Amino acid sequence: MLRLRTAALALTVICLASAAARADDPAQDCRDQHNTPCNTGQAGVCAAGLWKCSGNGLRCERQQGPSPEVCGNGQDDDCDGFTDGQDSDCRCRDTDNDGYAVCSNGCTLAAGDQCGDCDDSRGDIHPNRSEVCNGRDDDCDDSVDEGNPGGGATCQTGEPGICSAGLLQCAAGGLHCASNLAPRPEDCDNGLDDDCNGQADGQDPSCRGDCGSALDTDADRVADCADNCPGLANAHQEDFDGDATGDACETGARLCDADLSGRVDGRDLALLAVIFGRTCSSSGFDKRVDLTRDCRVDGDDLALLASFFGQSD
């Protein structure tokens, strides 16, 4: 019996000695805590870690590194201390500072901003803006140049005859003068250039078959279907401004009475002033006030109108 007690006492002493040895053994501590949870001291998803042996010590290694912030998942994914809407990465983008942001993925609006921007690179494109004729969707309604922006005003197309008068139309991102009338078959006795080829009535080749054998009894001595200047020679029926009165008959006060009111007055002067400096190739050019017939409204035209101002036709 005494022998058994002695053996048990000896075993207890050995166990205590082993425990004391392990307590003083860092390598044993490392093995005991290896892969147990720890806190790295970092923010967000980077906080959770596991103890890892490093030499004779322990190091808390994070289980997950930072990643781009996912807005709306309740986590600080980029480990910057801010979650979802509090993170600047989750603010709705308003790069052009026009007060309208691109809203997506649960982003948070900055104070004063609204959602709906369709082009965050341009401050002049956003909802509630007036549409401009430029080939862009200025008001973010998925339509381009709707409503004919900038159009509707009267203009001159630069084409002859009935095709000369038009209205401004927004097309292909710019304003263009669109003719009110399309060319039509020439009417050989209405004094108009119906087919817009620069020749009216008897001077139009399409009318020659009707009138080629006619005898001309006016001063032209040329057979024609209709004479736009009876009594004066105007063999080719020239009509620069397309008003159905030949150039040979438009002189003096008759020439300067652009609006055909019967008197040269302030209304004629106003017509000239509107397009002063323009040429035949300019948008809105009005041949009625190009009194010198040189395809340019300038001081010569103004001087001519002034010389007959106040006179009647």
Side-chain angles (χ1 to χ4, degrees), residues 144-308:
V144 174
D145 294 344
E146 70 276 10
N148 192 29
T154 58
C155 58
Q156 291 292 313
T157 65
E159 299 179 43
I162 64 171
C163 301
S164 62
L167 294 175
L168 286 178
Q169 296 287 334
C170 178
L175 290 171
H176 307 276
C177 189
S179 178
N180 295 332
L181 296 174
R184 61 194 181 202
E186 188 71 17
D187 184 336
C188 297
D189 59 3
N190 67 352
L192 300 176
D193 175 12
D194 302 281
D195 57 5
C196 305
N197 68 349
Q199 297 171 309
D201 297 344
Q203 299 308 310
D204 193 294
S206 63
C207 291
R208 296 288 172 80
D210 297 335
C211 311
S213 60
L215 294 176
D216 182 69
T217 57
D218 63 18
D220 297 340
R221 312 309 302 168
V222 175
D224 49 38
C225 292
D227 197 326
N228 61 13
C229 190
L232 291 176
N234 188 24
H236 298 292
Q237 304 295 296
E238 290 91 348
D239 182 10
F240 179 81
D241 55 7
D243 64 355
T245 299
D247 295 341
C249 291
E250 289 188 309
T251 59
R254 176 65 185 84
L255 171 64
C256 298
D257 181 17
D259 66 352
L260 303 180
S261 67
R263 180 180 176 83
V264 182
D265 53 23
R267 287 175 295 186
D268 304 300
L269 179 60
L271 286 173
L272 188 149
V274 167
I275 64 165
F276 191 84
R278 298 189 190 181
T279 65
C280 281
S281 60
S282 302
S283 175
F285 184 75
D286 191 342
K287 291 183 177 181
R288 294 178 298 170
V289 289
D290 183 7
L291 307 179
T292 57
R293 313 304 196 202
D294 62 355
C295 267
R296 182 178 182 82
V297 178
D298 52 20
D300 292 337
D301 302 294
L302 179 59
L304 187 56
L305 188 147
S307 67
F308 291 96

Side-chain angles (χ1 to χ4, degrees), residues 20-44:
R22 283 199 304 272
D24 294 333
D25 184 0
Q28 184 61 48
D29 285 343
C30 179
R31 288 190 294 272
D32 290 344
Q33 297 188 57
H34 184 69
N35 283 335
T36 60
C38 61
N39 191 304
T40 65
Q42 299 179 31

